[in-house]
Every structure is written in structure tokens, then in C-alpha cells.
Amino acid sequence: MLETRPRGRGGAERKARQGDGAGAGPRWAGFRASGGRRCLSPPDLQLSRRGSGGGTSMERLWGLLHRTQRLSPRPSQTIYKRVEGTQQWRLEEEEEDGEEGAEPPIHFCPMELRGPDLGSRAGKQNLGLWAATARRAAPYLVLTTLLIFTGAFLLGYVAFRGSCQACGDDVLVVSEDINYEPGPDSHQGTLYWSDLQAMFLRFLGEGHLEDTIRQTSLRKRVAGSAGMAALAQDIRVALLGQKLDHVWMDTHYVGLQFPDPAHPNTLHWVEAAGKLGEPLQLEDHDVYCPYSATGNATGELVYAHYGRPEDLQDLRARGVEPAGRLLLVRLGEISFAQKVASAQDFGARGVLIYPDSADFSQDPHKLGLSSHRAVYGHVHLGTGDPYTPGFPSFNQTQFPPVQSSGLPNIPAQPISADIASLLLRKLQGPVAPQEWQGHLPVSPYRLGPGPGLHLGVNNHRVSTPISNIFGCIEGRSEPDHYVVIGAQRDAWGPGAAKSAVGTAILLELVRTFSSMVSNGFRPRRSLLFISWDGGDFGSVGSTEWLEGYLSVLHLKAVVYVSLDNAVLGDDKFQAKTSPLLISLIENILKQVDSPNHSGQTLYEQVMFNNHSWDAEVIQPLPMDSSAYSFTAFAGVPAVEFSFMEDGQAYPFLHTKDDTYENLHRVLRGRLPAVAQAVAQLAGQLLIRLSHDHLLPLDFGRYGDVVLKHIGSLNEFSGDLKARGLTLQWVYSARGDYIRAAEKLRKEIYSSEESDERLMRMYNVRIMRVEFYFLSQYVSPADSPFRHIFLGHGDHTLDALLDHVRLLRSHGSGDPRAASSGVAPGLGFQESRFRRQLALLTWTLQGAANALSGDVWNIDNNF
């Protein structure tokens, strides 16, 4: 049998053993081991002492092993020695150094066999046994190797799929395993999306949203007022108390219009002789239309429904001419500014705007606006300071005196439902269409004309300082890319729904993300929190900031999220958004709990209350949205979402009744829950946009937008062909954009997410898609809203469509043409069509080329 002796024998004993071995016949020395370890031979290896002689192949093997032995260190030596009187061999260990009695653990070690001739029959027999053993072990070795390889492959595959943000056909699918590695100063381990989501919800739940809404709505905060200055300082102090990297303010000096207390606006009847008659008492002289033309307007009164271009065209078709008259129009459908602009385009002399209860609620038991309340609203067809269009108002003395083309030339004034009832009773002429009838105590509504009216507007312009407040959490990997979230701070009245809710949610999100940073979170991209001033005058604060930093922001701003008008009810949900954000919004809604229905997600509530996702939930950004300038002017994708009541609009917006108590009653006590849901939605949007390696923006969506517009243009392809004109250029440009988007999608899908340089390159291309749709062929000063889908002017797709419609109007004009800059009454003009088509096509083609990446990657034959 094989025996082992204890380690640590002295040199004399070693020599004696070696001598014994030498005199006992053939001697084996083998199994060289590493220093100090006891080694065992493979159990199947049995050596016979019988036989001598040589085998040529075996001699070569022993020679090779012997040379290997000489090249290796010799801290210890193990030998086989024959045991007298037996046919077995015992394993002896010889060491040069060691301690007596040490018993180390057993190891299998690299071995070397040295011996004499193995040419004998017994040697060959034992060698055959060794080979047979190796053959039996081979399948198990192969199987083990395959199992290890398969396991490693599956582990690598799972890890890759878990990190891929562009799996499948949708680049917006993001795994739960996307991780975040905190900075070196962090004590937190790796954070995953589920960890971040849980952390965010935990800290968000610690806030006091309802108290902040109540306290903010109680403060007077008209832009430029002392109350607003005090609130601004309070918010700045609150931001400084959080764990933000930067907090600062900027101030703009803007031209705002206010009523003149010494000369209030007036409305009089006009007698037959043309003299001013009895005045109609305006209940609240504080209610006015900022940026209305000042002066007097006299004319007969005409009822014009909502004052849309199609309403005025319908009015004219019924034999009632709007030109030279004062128009009485209802609140709703379009903004105050659009109503006044349409009236001006049709030759009206002035506009009176009133709230009709038919537009707020069909249920008489629901809370409604008092009949003596008028509604506030500015009438600048644009955003920002209208006296420095296209330029920032840091110091307006640096710029020549100029006015925005969106300022109206006719006066406008809000009136109450009570005064509107008096006016409607005086109207003569045809009965208004059934869909034009309202709920005022007048039956039926007539179109007019009625008796003459005299409107006097005496508003005055004041140079006013306004301040925006900023707080920033710097990103760790892409700090020069900003995810921006903002809320209007000012309000003409109490402004509970208008701005108090948004301000409270903004402050709560600042506090929540600050707590997350303290607990190890650091976003990849920077988070920028902004409290805007001057919002009630047409997003003045935000637009002036965009104008001041336009050359930087279109390269650095990723997305803008607006919190204005976020809670106007709790039944329905609406997102006014860029197409790039639609898929992300849908995904986040599926992860937020419904504030109304336990066990349901917000997405399930939305789909239950809204029959069509595209028609009812997703809307384009309107000009009166605070997010509009970001997209239409700066080319930054933006979203503004709102919860609303089913079947009615929030009746108190822009009135002195927009109080915390009324908002609380409209929501039937669910204001805290709905505000919390909005905060969850906005916060998770911020996490995804600032945290994901690949920006979750669906750049392929714009291909569908173009297709929708082209479908409308196709109706007129025969009319154009008859004139020798074609839309083929637009079709080709759209095809190039679709191909570029699909090519980029495939590149992203096949790329490694761990490649930071590659991810940043893709993100830069994705985040600039919106900017690509700003027409480069019109001046920002002359046409600030250059976006071909959302903008205003001759360069837009809507303007082209409205112009093409004139092919079938037989020279009578199209009611929608006025809103696109076409004067009513003008017919189709071929030269203008060719210019519009060229501007539009090359903007779309430029977007396709930019999405393709480098110039050598552009593959089109345009």
C-alpha cells in the first residue's frame, strides 16, 4: 500500500532513507510538490516493482518529465519506496526545511514521475490501466467543460439583456436591472431602477403638499409686486436649505401691462346720434386683458361663438359681417390671444370675452363660477416680453424699440356672464345655430347685429423686474445635459390651481431628490428645478430665460416638464406633449397608482375614462401652455400634463375664485391624493430621463406625425397635379427620416450599453431631434416659433395645408388660413406654395440627415 510519513525529518534520516532506497532495487522519485505541502498521487495510479527494460516512447516521456523537474524549484521531494516483504510501495516525503510534527492540509499538486526502464510487461500493463482510467474520465471532463461554458454564456446573455435599453423594436424598453454606480464619496451600494423608485416614493411620502398649496394660495403674488418679491426670497431660502449643488436667481426687466386705477376700462351703450349713452358697470376693474390695444372702439355688437376663424367664416356665410363690429365671444376652445387675433384678421374693431356656464358643467349641482365674475387672460399671440421679441430682457435699453407681431391692434376686455346676458338680449338678426346656444338666461341666442357699443381700454405699460429661481443637482456622467422641471410662481388672483399646486409639487420634488442624494443617489444627467415669474402674462419668465441662453440650451436641455395647471380635477388625464415623450409617459402611467381607484394604476384609470389614447389623452402643445416655448421656440421636447374633471372644465381658473377651498371642493377632498399622484408621475419621469444610460425618447414618432399630415395633403394631389405641381419632395424627405430613425434604432440595439462614449454620442443625436424640426430658413426675430409642426407662420406644415385648401375654396378664402398668416379672401398662389414646400421639405430633410449622424453615414438620393 501507499504510505505517507510525517514532514520535517532531519537531513541524516533523509540520507538513510535514500540509502535504503538505493539498495532495494529500482527506485522511484516523483510527485514534486510546491513548498511545504503534502501531495497525494492520483488514486488510480499503481506502480509495480517488477520489470525492467525500455520502451522507446516511454523513455522519451520520462526524459521530458525529468527536464521539467530540473527547471522547477525544489523546496520538497516526495518518493516511493518499496516496503519490505510486500508487493506494495509507500509514498515518502522528503523536505529540506520544515518543522517537526507539522500536519498541513492535503493538496493535489503538479507531479513528476522519474523512473528506470518501463519496457517490461508489467510496466506496460500498468500504463494501460492509466490510459484506460484517462479514457473513462474524458467524457466527464468534456461534459463539465460544456456545463461551465453554457453557464457562463447564459450569465453573460442575461447581464447584457438586463442592461439593454433598446431591446426589441422599441428603444424605450428599460430593464429593471439598469443600475447606478454612486460616486466615490457615497456609502450606498449599487442602486437599480426598482431601488430608486422605492427610495423616491418613500421620501416623497414624507412631504406636506396640501399645506404648501394652502399657504401659497393665500399669498398675493402678482408679477412685480412686493408680495412676489417676498415669496421669491422664501423659495430661494428653501432651496438653499436642501442638498443642491447650485442655487441662484436671475432678473429680467420686462414690459408688463396693468390697468390704470385712475382711468379704469369702460363699456357704454351708444345712442342713435352716436353719443355715449348709459354705462354698463364692469363689476371688477381689476379684471383686464394684458397687452390689449389701448384706446376706444365703437361699433355694433355681433355674437361670434368662440371667435375661431371657422366661427367668423360661418358668421359671414350667414349674412352677418364681422368687419367693423364689436364681437361678443365665449371663453374656451382657443386662447384669448387667438380669439382677438382672429377677430382682427376678419376686420373686427374690438372683442368682449365672457364665460358661459355651458362650457363649464352640464350638472347644475356641481360647483360653478358666479355670474358676476369675469375671467382674466392676456391677448399677446406669443410668449415672453412682447416689447423685446426674440431678445432677452436683461436690460432692454440694449435693444432698439420694437414690438412683437403678436400684439393686437384692437382692444379687448373680459366681461361677466351677467353683462353678457344684457348684451345678448339686445341682439337682433338670425337665430344662432343650435351648437352656438349657451346656458345664459337668454333664449334664443341671436347673431346680431345689435345696438352700438363703445369700449374704452386704458391699460398702461410698466417696466417691471421679474425673478426666476434655479436649483441644480449636477449629474455624474453627463453634467452638461439638463433635465428641466419648472412651475409658474406668480398669479393674478389666488391662483390655487394655476400656480400654487405646481409650486408646491416643485418644492416637494426638490426636497425628495435632495433626500435621495443624501442617501446615495446621483443622476447621470443634471436636474434643474426652476420657479418661474411672469407666467400669467404669457410665460414671460421662462421665455426670456430661453431667449437669453438659446445658443446653449438647444445643445444641453434634454426635456422640459411643466407643473402648471397640473390639478384641475381628478377624473381625466391629458398630456400636452412632444411626440418624443408619448411612449415614456405611457410607460410611467403604468407604474403610478390611481388616486381614485384602489388597486388600479393611473394608466388603467386613464384608459377607462378616455376612450381614445391618441384623440383624448395625447394633445399637441398649445401656445398658451408654459411648455410651448421650449419646443416651438427652443427645440426642446416638453410636456405639460393635467388632471381634469369629466364633463366640465375647472370653472375658477384665472379668476379671483381660484382659491384653495374651491379647488378642494371641486375635487371632493381628493386634492392631496391627486397632487401626490402628479408628483409621483413627474418624479419618475425625472428619474428615467436623468438616470437611464440611453435617453428614453421615441425619435421614430415623428415619422407618424409627418405621415398624418401627408395623409391630409394627399386629398389635394389631383388638384396640384392639374397645375403641374407635386408633393413628391415631402414624400421623399419623410421616407429619408423614417429610414434614418430605423437605422439609428438598429445601431442602438446592437451596441454595448457599457460604452459610455457611444451612449453619449447616441444621446446627443436623440436629444436634438426636436431641434432639427426648427426651420433654419426663417429668422427667430421675425418668426420666433420656427417649429414646422407646432410653430406659427408660413414655414409650418399647417400653413402649407391651409394654403392648399384654397385650391377648392374658389377664391373665397379658407377660415383656417387666417390663423396661419394668410389674409382672408386671397386665393391659392403658386409661387407661395413652391416656397412653402421648399422650406418645409428641406427642414424635414435636414432632420433626417442630422439623425443619420456623420455625413459619411447619410444614405439618401434626395
Side-chain angles (χ1 to χ4, degrees):
M1 61 179 296
L2 295 180
E3 298 179 354
T4 61
R5 290 189 178 181
R7 296 167 43 178
R9 301 182 184 277
E13 184 177 353
R14 284 198 301 271
K15 291 180 180 178
R17 290 202 321 269
Q18 289 170 354
D20 293 341
R27 179 166 59 90
W28 293 86
F31 304 122
R32 179 169 306 281
S34 58
R37 292 188 297 176
R38 185 173 60 162
C39 301
L40 297 180
S41 64
D44 290 314
L45 180 60
Q46 299 179 4
L47 301 176
S48 171
R49 63 183 178 90
R50 297 193 304 270
S52 61
T56 304
S57 60
M58 291 305 300
E59 289 175 352
R60 285 198 298 268
L61 174 61
W62 303 133
L64 176 61
L65 294 174
H66 184 58
R67 285 194 298 272
T68 304
Q69 177 198 24
R70 291 202 308 269
L71 293 175
S72 62
R74 303 175 62 90
S76 63
Q77 185 177 18
T78 304
I79 64 171
Y80 278 104
K81 184 175 180 181
R82 186 179 60 183
V83 179
E84 295 294 338
T86 71
Q87 298 299 316
Q88 303 294 329
W89 294 78
R90 79 168 168 237
L91 180 67
E92 294 186 350
E93 184 175 81
E94 180 177 290
E95 297 191 299
E96 298 176 1
D97 299 297
E99 294 183 0
E100 194 70 30
E103 187 66 23
I106 295 175
H107 298 278
F108 282 97
C109 303
M111 298 175 294
E112 179 182 3
L113 285 173
R114 289 188 296 118
D117 211 1
L118 285 182
S120 67
R121 177 181 176 185
K124 292 181 180 180
Q125 181 180 1
N126 285 304
L127 185 62
L129 291 173
W130 190 9
T133 302
R135 284 194 299 270
R136 287 197 303 270
Y140 297 101
L141 291 175
V142 172
L143 181 61
T144 302
T145 303
L146 287 175
L147 288 174
I148 293 173
F149 175 79
T150 304
F153 174 79
L154 291 175
L155 182 63
Y157 175 78
V158 170
F160 174 78
R161 290 290 293 185
S163 65
C164 178
Q165 294 178 345
C167 302
D169 295 329
D170 191 347
V171 299
L172 296 170
V173 177
V174 181
S175 172
E176 289 287 318
D177 296 330
I178 294 175
N179 58 5
Y180 153 75
E181 297 80 11
D185 58 338
S186 173
H187 302 289
Q188 181 78 17
T190 301
L191 295 176
Y192 296 88
W193 163 246
S194 57
D195 300 325
L196 290 176
Q197 192 178 37
M199 180 191 293
F200 169 76
L201 295 177
R202 183 173 73 253
F203 288 123
L204 182 68
E206 297 173 357
H208 305 284
L209 275 171
E210 187 175 12
D211 290 340
T212 308
I213 296 171
R214 180 191 294 109
Q215 295 301 322
T216 304
S217 65
L218 293 175
R219 303 182 67 161
K220 293 184 177 180
R221 55 192 193 282
V222 177
S225 67
M228 170 54 77
L231 178 60
Q233 287 301 323
D234 290 346
I235 290 180
R236 179 175 178 273
V237 170
L239 296 188
L240 287 171
Q242 300 299 329
K243 195 174 179 62
L244 302 176
D245 296 303
H246 309 283
V247 175
W248 74 98
M249 296 175 64
D250 71 5
T251 300
H252 303 266
Y253 294 86
V254 298
L256 303 182
Q257 199 182 66
F258 297 96
D260 186 350
H263 302 89
N265 298 340
T266 60
L267 186 63
H268 289 79
W269 294 110
V270 175
E271 297 177 354
K275 294 181 180 181
L276 294 185
E278 180 183 355
L280 288 91
Q281 295 295 334
L282 301 178
E283 293 93 344
D284 190 347
H285 292 289
D286 291 337
V287 186
Y288 71 111
C289 288
Y291 303 124
S292 163
T294 57
N296 303 314
T298 303
E300 295 176 318
L301 186 67
V302 169
Y303 173 55
H305 203 208
Y306 292 112
R308 298 169 297 188
E310 53 267 36
D311 295 331
L312 299 179
Q313 184 68 29
D314 193 6
L315 190 66
R316 180 176 284 168
R318 294 175 183 272
V320 181
E321 178 58 48
R325 267 93 181 243
L326 296 182
L327 301 186
L328 177 65
V329 301
R330 283 159 59 168
L331 182 71
E333 295 296 326
I334 58 176
S335 69
F336 277 43
Q338 289 170 307
K339 295 176 189 294
V340 176
S342 296
Q344 179 176 303
D345 289 336
F346 278 81
R349 293 183 179 180
V351 181
L352 300 173
I353 305 172
Y354 79 97
D356 198 305
S357 55
D359 298 309
F360 295 109
S361 176
Q362 306 298 327
D363 185 352
H365 300 290
K366 287 193 174 182
L367 199 62
L369 184 67
S370 170
S371 62
H372 67 272
R373 286 293 191 196
V375 180
Y376 164 99
H378 78 88
V379 292
H380 173 216
L381 190 63
T383 62
D385 182 0
Y387 304 107
T388 58
F391 303 101
S393 297
F394 288 114
N395 184 349
Q396 55 186 247
T397 60
Q398 297 179 1
F399 305 108
V402 63
Q403 292 188 2
S404 167
S405 60
L407 284 176
N409 297 322
I410 60 176
Q413 174 66 31
I415 62 174
S416 68
D418 285 345
I419 294 183
S421 297
L422 294 175
L423 298 178
L424 285 168
R425 291 191 188 103
K426 298 289 186 178
L427 292 182
Q428 307 292 323
V431 174
Q434 183 59 41
E435 59 271 19
W436 287 30
Q437 300 295 321
H439 287 176
L440 297 188
V442 179
S443 182
Y445 286 20
R446 293 185 176 272
L447 299 178
L453 284 176
H454 175 86
L455 173 63
V457 174
N458 302 308
N459 305 333
H460 65 292
R461 170 186 166 188
V462 179
S463 181
T464 307
I466 62 172
S467 298
N468 300 321
I469 309 169
F470 302 82
C472 176
I473 297 174
E474 280 195 33
R476 62 181 175 88
S477 300
E478 301 177 41
D480 56 332
H481 290 163
Y482 319 141
V483 178
V484 188
I485 184 167
Q488 174 184 325
R489 185 175 70 254
D490 66 301
W492 171 81
K498 178 60 181 176
S499 62
V501 170
T503 298
I505 294 175
L506 179 72
L507 293 176
E508 181 62 20
L509 289 173
V510 170
R511 188 198 61 78
T512 301
F513 278 94
S514 177
S515 299
M516 293 174 66
V517 169
S518 299
N519 283 267
F521 171 67
R522 176 63 66 170
R524 293 180 59 84
R525 301 170 195 92
S526 296
L527 287 171
L528 198 55
F529 304 91
I530 310 177
S531 175
W532 303 114
D533 199 353
D536 262 357
F537 291 84
S539 305
V540 176
S542 58
T543 303
E544 295 307 308
W545 183 68
L546 287 172
E547 290 175 342
Y549 301 99
L550 182 62
S551 59
V552 174
L553 291 175
H554 85 270
L555 300 173
K556 297 179 178 292
V558 177
V559 163
Y560 176 67
V561 179
S562 171
L563 297 173
D564 297 338
N565 303 315
V567 180
L568 304 175
D570 67 343
D571 293 327
K572 287 195 170 186
F573 174 85
Q574 188 177 79
K576 303 168 185 175
T577 182
S578 160
L580 296 175
L581 289 162
I582 294 175
S583 296
L584 178 60
I585 292 170
E586 182 177 352
N587 182 272
I588 296 297
L589 286 175
K590 295 176 181 178
Q591 303 181 48
V592 177
D593 292 334
S594 167
N596 292 346
H597 306 286
S598 177
Q600 274 192 358
T601 65
L602 204 50
Y603 179 79
E604 290 169 335
Q605 175 188 330
V606 167
M607 296 311 295
F608 180 80
N609 293 326
N610 298 272
H611 302 294
S612 171
W613 171 265
D614 292 327
E616 298 183 33
V617 179
I618 301 300
Q619 300 289 326
L621 285 164
M623 188 178 289
D624 59 348
S625 165
S626 59
Y628 178 80
S629 293
F630 276 85
T631 301
F633 174 70
V636 177
V639 58
E640 177 181 295
F641 41 78
S642 301
F643 286 87
M644 300 170 295
E645 286 294 286
D646 189 10
Q648 73 167 12
Y650 178 69
F652 307 117
L653 202 63
H654 295 296
T655 73
K656 290 186 176 181
D657 289 335
D658 184 15
T659 63
Y660 168 81
E661 290 75 19
N662 279 336
L663 180 60
H664 201 277
R665 283 198 290 268
V666 167
L667 271 73
R668 297 172 294 281
R670 291 197 295 270
L671 175 58
V674 179
Q676 184 85 352
V678 172
Q680 289 185 27
L681 174 61
Q684 294 190 54
L685 275 173
L686 294 185
I687 293 175
R688 287 288 306 277
L689 290 165
S690 65
H691 171 73
D692 288 2
H693 284 70
L694 186 72
L695 282 173
L697 302 178
D698 190 357
F699 48 84
R701 282 272 185 172
Y702 266 116
D704 300 332
V705 175
V706 180
L707 182 62
K708 179 180 177 181
H709 282 81
I710 287 179
S712 300
L713 288 171
N714 277 337
E715 299 177 20
F716 303 93
S717 58
D719 303 87
L720 291 171
K721 187 175 182 180
R723 291 173 174 258
L725 303 172
T726 179
L727 295 169
Q728 185 58 44
W729 284 9
V730 179
Y731 303 152
S732 298
R734 185 240 173 203
D736 286 340
Y737 182 85
I738 296 295
R739 285 187 289 274
E742 185 60 27
K743 182 179 179 182
L744 178 57
R745 195 189 304 273
K746 290 180 179 178
E747 287 181 21
I748 292 172
Y749 179 72
S750 61
S751 64
E752 280 288 345
E753 186 194 48
S754 59
D755 190 332
E756 291 286 343
R757 186 194 66 82
L758 190 60
M759 287 298 105
R760 181 179 175 87
M761 182 185 71
Y762 287 145
N763 285 336
V764 168
R765 287 162 67 181
I766 292 171
M767 67 183 280
R768 294 182 186 172
V769 166
E770 201 77 67
F771 178 76
Y772 301 152
F773 291 112
L774 299 186
S775 177
Q776 306 301 309
Y777 308 104
V778 294
S779 166
D782 298 332
S783 300
F785 305 121
R786 296 178 292 150
H787 202 286
I788 60 173
F789 300 116
L790 289 176
H792 182 78
D794 223 30
H795 59 282
T796 64
L797 221 166
D798 281 338
L800 176 65
L801 182 58
D802 289 339
H803 188 197
V804 170
R805 288 193 180 104
L806 296 177
L807 288 168
R808 298 181 181 177
S809 65
H810 307 294
S812 62
D814 186 88
R816 286 163 290 197
S819 63
S820 303
V822 183
L826 294 180
F828 180 83
Q829 303 169 32
E830 182 176 327
S831 60
R832 178 170 172 262
F833 168 80
R834 290 182 180 276
R835 182 178 183 276
Q836 284 180 302
L837 186 64
L839 295 183
L840 177 69
T841 301
W842 280 110
T843 301
L844 184 57
Q845 185 64 47
N849 293 343
L851 197 63
S852 297
D854 296 306
V855 291
W856 51 82
N857 290 328
I858 298 174
D859 182 20
N860 61 62
N861 188 24
F862 184 71

